[in-house]
């Protein structure tokens, strides 16, 4: 794979070759170097002193857990986070680059393809390829040459579709190819692919990987972010591992003899500090059981988001759910919570020995379920409301007489939850929009505790929350378990799952792929189960390493 | 400024509107040489605008829920003609006519609510269709003629409280209602204050409450004397009483009942509401249906006042009602707004209209001025929100706020809060 490949068409590269660049066009020379990149968001250091070098004509993978900082790094590189909002230097083609927006980086030849495709469904392939970059004379588009060029580009990516076909009429795999054609239309030198195969099936994924290999042989350098380690092992020449916003190491696949286990070790190899409050679990009998739970995607009927899943929860138990982004954890939980996601196919829920049918969220709340959503601001809170109204909103009938809300009780409850969860706010009349992330999350927790649930489902309860508030939230979670409630904890942070859970289920592609006890669970074993393929394609590698 | 704010409470947006209304009244009182605050003119303002204000009550709920209703004028006209014809041809009595009209309103509302809530067609489209549909239905049913209504029906639009008791020079019932209202407000304030003290919550200082109560009572008694001292036979109009009852009832519903809370929740964040067990479709259905029922009532009040139902009743009402709601502080994106605010917004428009008429300003200029007032009021709001401020008054009082509690809140991370509290301005910018 490190065989010399044909360099990029020399002309454009030569223009930008600076004095310091040395043997600029030689394959294997460094095309991109990022030095000591540090990026801070209010209260969070997303990247600290990340450095990496990408060699010309290679496929360079970036690996790391969810939230490690991969996407932030790519946003810095592509100018989404403009120069000046981060520290550090970017050298591209031997020149220091300061991109103020995506246009700047694209002008330099860096094109990023995001995980969520940026295509407009109602427009044709050709229109999408040249969107914002139209072949036009004084504003009038030359459709003849647009189509001709589009056809040429489609041939390069091996897509046999007419340029006039609408995007919504082709599948996700082909849409991905259109995105690449769009990138190629911009004279790309460095192509960044963020989770390019996440939404693709095995066949489409393989086709895409072949195409990337083909582009490499034509001199296009690629950076690829992926969670699918077998794909990385197959295609990458180098791998940079990022963990907790720091660059850990860069591995050369050929020279270092890298395999999946080696990558996993790099990704998760951090110590567990005492970041969790002390807690002695008192686990009772099984009271909540899900059997053969199967749910269809709401708009793609042939896609199952939950596949014959079985699991159970005991009283006083904290049950973790691990899975990569897009594995279907949230979908599973929301489908259980009154069918608020997807289309129910089959499966039963048994609570306290009785089968229950939850047809609406109201049913689920009445049955003693509570679901703290993953995305606090878009799904969990009405940001226009204040603390006291939010606290009682999920079970207003608890404080109503007839249809009338008892405002004294409302105040009482809100105030007592504010005190017991130690929400930092001057009073319960404060608008929730004014609170910090951690305090907003406490208000959401108060809202669900107010419903007096038996089973509390927490979906990424500490996302975007600083360390101190995390510790407090962990304490609250453990307190609930001690009160005899069952807790389901969905989290992308493996240390958090391992630190809190009594038992951990792993999910991949909508199916439960394993369950580990507290003692068995470590990051490597979880990661292996999380990346296990449930059907099709190249599962051999994962099985071997398991 | 600090004291002023304390007396009038924390809702600076609404406070600003009330001040604007008072300023407007004083301005016209001076400009028209005292013609504005005469008993006849004040009674007139209420009678001429009560139906718009009734619509504004329904409209604010629709807008809080995140919808809009363009059909209210046509629905009002359609119900008006149906009631007028039913009473003429079928001999319905006045109260049967009213019930009949409300029933038609409910049916129309169920129709529009079904399309909006359960089929999922945007309310803009559904009610644009309804605007054409029911305008046509009005002319079809009435054959484009005017149909007069009986005198006992006319009371709900043009009637007054009767004269009872000794001759005091005032309308006794009006004075009685005014006194009862003032006493009620004082007793209510004292009781809720006592309850709050019991809970150990922060309460305002006593003088603040008494000054506020004094001002409110003075305003009520002043208005009472004004309404009660008109020409013999006139008093606080019946339509004003209907309106007052509706304001109380809907103010209570929107604030204190489950359905009211659910309307705000759906408008503020539909997904979050649904994941909290709110049945958003049902809420949307009820809100749309309620709007048409109130439109029916508004149509009947208008017909009663103008003594006949005609083919061009209610043209343009939807725009007056929507303008009142937005001047009254509601957000285009939903989730924000109050019944009282909308009434104040409607009264601003009404006083403006009336004052310009008294000065003999033509309809052309009046419309232009009203249009600009709407734009300026909302632009002011949007600008302030984009600056992270609540309003001009909030901005002025910001540096005068006292004490620890405000310091605490400013210690919480501001950057996210500043962007999240600007839903109106953000969406407006995004859509432009």
């Amino acid at each position: 794979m490190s065989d010399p490949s044909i360099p990029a068409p020399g002309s454009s590269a030569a223009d930008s070759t600076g004095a310091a660049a040395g043997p600029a066009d030689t394959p294997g020379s460094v095309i991109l170097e990022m030095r000591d990149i540090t990026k801070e968001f209010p209260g969070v250091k997303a990247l600290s002193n990340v450095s990496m070098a990408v060699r010309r004509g290679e496929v360079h993978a970036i690996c790391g857990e969810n939230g490690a900082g991969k996407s932030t790094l790519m946003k810095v590189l592509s100018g989404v986070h403009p120069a000046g909002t981060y520290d550090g230097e970017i050298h591209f083609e031997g020149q220091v680059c300061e991109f103020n927006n995506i246009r700047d980086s694209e002008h330099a030849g860096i094109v990023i393809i995001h995980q969520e495709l940026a295509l407009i469904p109602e427009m044709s392939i050709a229109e999408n390829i040249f969107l914002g970059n139209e072949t036009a004379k004084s504003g009038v588009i030359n459709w003849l040459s647009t189509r001709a060029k589009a056809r040429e580009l489609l041939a390069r990516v091996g897509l046999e579709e007419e340029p006039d076909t609408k995007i919504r009429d082709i599948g996700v795999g082909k849409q991905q190819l259109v995105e690449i054609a769009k990138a190629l239309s911009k004279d790309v030198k460095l192509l960044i692919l963020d989770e390019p195969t996440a939404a693709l099936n095995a066949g489409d994924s393989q086709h895409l990987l072949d195409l990337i290999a083909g582009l490499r042989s034509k001199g296009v350098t690629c950076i690829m972010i992926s969670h699918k380690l077998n794909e990385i092992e197959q295609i990458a020449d180098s791998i940079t591992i990022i963990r907790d916003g720091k660059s850990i190491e860069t591995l050369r696949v050929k020279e270092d003899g890298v395999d999946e286990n080696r990558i996993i070790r790099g990704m998760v190899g951090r110590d567990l500090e005492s970041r969790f409050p002390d807690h002695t679990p008192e686990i009772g009998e099984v009271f909540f059981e899900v059997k053969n739970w199967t749910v269809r995607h709401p708009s793609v009927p042939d896609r199952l988001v939950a596949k014959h899943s079985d699991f159970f929860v005991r009283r006083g138990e904290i049950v973790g759910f691990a899975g990569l982004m897009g594995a279907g954890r949230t979908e599973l939980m929301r489908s259980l919570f009154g069918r608020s996601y997807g289309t129910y196919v089959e499966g039963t829920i048994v609570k306290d020995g009785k089968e229950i049918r939850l047809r609406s969220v109201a049913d689920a709340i009445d049955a003693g379920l509570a679901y703290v959503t993953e995305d606090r601001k878009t799904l969990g809170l009405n940001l226009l409301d204040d603390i006291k109204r939010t606290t009682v909103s999920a079970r207003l009938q608890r404080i109503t007489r007839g249809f009338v809300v008892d405002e004294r009780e409302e105040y009482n409850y809100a105030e007592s939850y504010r005190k017991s969860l130690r929400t930092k706010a001057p009073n319960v009349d404060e608008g929730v929009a004014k609170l910090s992330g951690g305090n907003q999350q406490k208000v959401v927790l108060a809202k669900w505790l107010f419903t007096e649930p038996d089973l509390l489902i927490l979906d990424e309860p500490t996302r975007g929350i600083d360390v101190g508030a995390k510790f407090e939230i962990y304490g609250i979670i453990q307190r609930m378990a001690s009160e005899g409630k069952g807790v389901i904890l969905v989290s992308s942070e493996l240390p958090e799952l391992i630190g809190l859970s009594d038992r951990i289920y792993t999910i991949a592609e909508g199916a439960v792929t394993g369950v580990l006890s507290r003692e068995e669970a470590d990051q490597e074993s979880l990661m292996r189960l999380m990346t296990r393929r449930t059907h099709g394609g190249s599962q051999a590698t994962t099985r071997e390493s398991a | 400024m600090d004291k002023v704010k304390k007396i009038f409470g924390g809702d600076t947006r609404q406070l600003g509107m009330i001040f604007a209304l008072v300023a407007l009244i004083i301005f016209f009182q001076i400009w028209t040489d005292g013609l504005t605050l005469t008993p006849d003119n004040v009674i007139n303002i209420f009678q001429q605008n009560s139906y718009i204000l009734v619509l504004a009550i329904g409209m604010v709920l629709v807008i809080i829920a995140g919808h809009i209703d363009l059909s209210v004028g046509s629905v009002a006209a359609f119900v008006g003609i149906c009631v007028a014809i039913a009473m003429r041809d079928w001999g319905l009595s006045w109260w049967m006519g009213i019930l009949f009209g409300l029933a038609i309103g409910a049916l129309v509302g169920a129709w529009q609510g079904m399309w909006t809530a359960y089929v999922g067609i945007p309310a803009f489209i559904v009610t644009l269709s309804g605007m054409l549909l029911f305008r046509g239905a009005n002319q079809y049913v009435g054959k484009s003629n005017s149909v007069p209504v009986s005198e006992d029906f006319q009371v709900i639009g043009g009637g007054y409280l009767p004269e009872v008791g000794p001759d005091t020079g005032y309308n006794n019932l009006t004075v009685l209602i005014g006194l009862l209202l003032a006493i009620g407000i004082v007793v209510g304030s004292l009781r809720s204050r006592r309850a709050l003290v019991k809970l150990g919550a922060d309460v305002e200082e006593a003088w603040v409450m008494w000054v506020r109560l004094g001002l409110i009572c003075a305003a009520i008694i002043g208005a009472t004397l004004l309404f009660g001292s008109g020409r013999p036979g006139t008093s606080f109009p019946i339509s004003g009483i209907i309106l007052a009852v509706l304001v109380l009832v809907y103010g209570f519903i929107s604030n204190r009942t489950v359905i009211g809370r659910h309307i705000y929740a759906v408008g503020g964040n539909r997904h979050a509401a649904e994941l909290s067990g709110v049945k958003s479709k049902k809420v949307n259905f009820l809100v749309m249906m309620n709007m048409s029922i109130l439109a029916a009532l508004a149509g009947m009040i208008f017909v009663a006042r103008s003594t006949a139902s005609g083919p061009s009743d209610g043209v343009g009402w939807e725009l007056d009602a929507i303008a009142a709601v937005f001047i009254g502080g509601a957000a285009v994106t939903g989730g924000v707004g109050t019944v009282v605010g909308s009434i104040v917004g409607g009264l601003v428009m009404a006083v403006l209209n009336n004052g310009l008429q008294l000065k003999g300003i033509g309809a052309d200029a009046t419309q232009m001025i009203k249009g600009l007032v709407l734009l300026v009021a909302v632009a002011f709001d949007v600008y302030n929100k984009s600056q992270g401020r609540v309003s001009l008054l909030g901005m002025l009082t910001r540096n005068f706020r006292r004490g620890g509690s405000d310091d605490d809140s400013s210690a919480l991370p501001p950057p996210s809060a500043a962007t999240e509290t600007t839903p109106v301005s953000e969406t407006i910018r995004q859509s432009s």
Side-chain angles (χ1 to χ4, degrees), chain B residues 20-73:
Chain B
L21 179 60
V22 171
L24 204 61
I25 292 171
I26 293 171
F27 170 76
F28 278 116
Q29 175 73 356
I30 294 166
W31 199 33
T32 59
D33 298 321
L35 287 178
T36 300
L37 285 180
T38 60
D40 283 354
N41 189 52
V42 175
I43 291 170
N44 211 14
I45 291 178
F46 265 81
Q47 286 196 329
Q48 277 178 347
N49 293 286
S50 54
Y51 48 92
I52 296 294
L53 297 176
V54 168
L55 290 177
I57 293 172
M59 192 65 80
V60 71
L61 299 181
V62 169
I63 285 172
I64 290 169
H67 306 291
I68 196 99
D69 193 334
L70 301 176
S71 69
V72 290

Side-chain angles (χ1 to χ4, degrees), chain A residues 381 389 405 410 412 447, chain B residues 199 255-256 261 269 276:
Chain A
L381 284 172
R389 286 178 166 227
V405 177
E410 174 179 67
N412 278 343
K447 163 177 151 182
Chain B
L199 289 175
N255 213 22
R256 289 286 302 276
R261 294 289 179 89
N269 185 340
S276 302

Side-chain angles (χ1 to χ4, degrees), chain A residues 115-254:
Chain A
Q115 191 176 352
E116 302 86 22
L117 299 180
L119 297 172
I120 298 170
E122 287 300 326
M123 289 172 78
S124 73
I125 293 176
E127 283 172 303
N128 268 289
I129 290 178
F130 292 101
L131 188 63
N133 188 22
E134 287 85 358
T135 313
K137 204 179 230 175
S138 33
V140 182
I141 294 176
N142 183 344
W143 286 112
L144 221 58
S145 86
T146 299
R147 282 199 199 93
K149 282 202 226 164
R151 201 161 276 138
E152 203 177 294
L153 288 164
L154 291 179
R156 276 179 74 185
V157 298
L159 180 57
E160 288 168 9
E161 288 284 349
E162 278 301 305
D164 290 334
T165 311
K166 282 188 179 172
I167 290 296
R168 68 175 160 89
D169 294 331
I170 61 177
V172 188
K174 289 180 175 176
Q175 291 180 6
Q176 188 68 264
L177 296 178
V178 173
E179 277 278 16
I180 292 176
K182 186 175 171 182
L184 293 178
S185 78
K186 293 170 185 162
D187 283 328
V188 59
K189 292 173 203 156
L190 176 63
L191 182 63
I192 305 168
L193 299 149
D194 189 355
E195 297 274 4
T197 60
L200 305 188
N201 61 30
D204 282 347
S205 296
Q206 194 52 52
H207 183 87
L208 188 74
L209 295 177
D210 292 344
L211 176 65
I212 293 172
L215 290 174
R216 169 172 58 194
S217 69
K218 294 198 179 89
V220 177
T221 312
C222 279
I223 293 180
M224 184 168 131
I225 297 177
S226 179
H227 279 304
K228 298 188 179 168
L229 300 183
N230 53 337
E231 291 177 358
I232 288 177
E233 198 187 341
Q234 179 192 339
I235 192 160
D237 303 300
S238 309
I239 301 169
T240 293
I241 290 173
I242 298 191
R243 188 202 306 156
D244 290 341
K246 301 184 184 93
S247 45
I248 301 302
E249 56 191 346
T250 295
L251 307 168
R252 305 281 172 215
V253 174
K254 275 280 163 61

Side-chain angles (χ1 to χ4, degrees), chain B residues 138-219:
Chain B
N138 162 284
Q139 290 164 4
Y140 176 79
V141 172
K143 302 189 175 59
S144 297
N145 292 323
S146 280
V147 179
V149 291
S150 63
E151 271 181 28
D152 40 5
F153 187 81
Q154 289 171 18
V155 170
I156 63 164
Y160 302 98
L161 292 171
E163 299 282 355
V164 290
D167 185 359
T168 54
Y170 293 101
N171 178 282
N172 292 335
L173 276 179
T174 305
V175 174
L176 184 67
I177 290 175
L179 282 178
L180 286 178
L181 188 63
I183 293 169
I185 286 175
V186 170
V187 172
S189 300
L190 287 175
R191 280 179 59 180
S192 73
R193 184 188 168 84
R194 213 177 306 140
L196 280 174
V197 171
K198 237 186 205 166
L199 289 175
D202 300 338
V203 286
E204 57 198 8
E205 291 136 277
W207 69 266
V208 176
M209 182 187 67
W210 286 113
V211 170
R212 185 176 57 227
L213 285 177
L215 285 172
I216 291 173
C217 290

Side-chain angles (χ1 to χ4, degrees), chain B residues 389-420:
Chain B
R389 300 177 192 130
V390 186
S391 72
L392 181 62
L393 271 167
M395 191 172 75
L396 289 174
T397 56
R398 188 168 53 163
N399 298 328
F400 298 95
R401 282 191 202 165
R402 298 179 320 146
S405 63
D406 282 319
D407 293 342
D408 284 349
S409 63
S410 60
L412 297 169
S416 55
T419 51
E420 284 155 17

Side-chain angles (χ1 to χ4, degrees), chain A residues 365-382:
Chain A
I365 294 172
D366 288 343
L369 268 66
Y371 173 60
V372 175
T373 51
E374 170 182 33
D375 190 332
R376 198 162 47 239
K377 282 170 190 158
T378 62
L379 298 176
L381 284 172
N382 175 0

Side-chain angles (χ1 to χ4, degrees), chain A residues 308-347:
Chain A
H308 312 288
S309 301
D310 299 293
F311 65 89
F312 63 86
V313 181
R314 299 190 187 100
R315 286 199 183 277
E317 188 179 38
I318 302 174
V319 178
F321 274 79
L324 297 169
M325 219 174 268
R329 297 164 301 171
T330 296
E331 290 80 356
L332 172 65
M333 294 309 157
R334 281 187 60 181
S335 67
L336 290 171
F337 191 63
R339 303 185 188 171
S340 50
Y341 180 89
T343 315
Y344 171 81
V345 180
E346 59 177 331

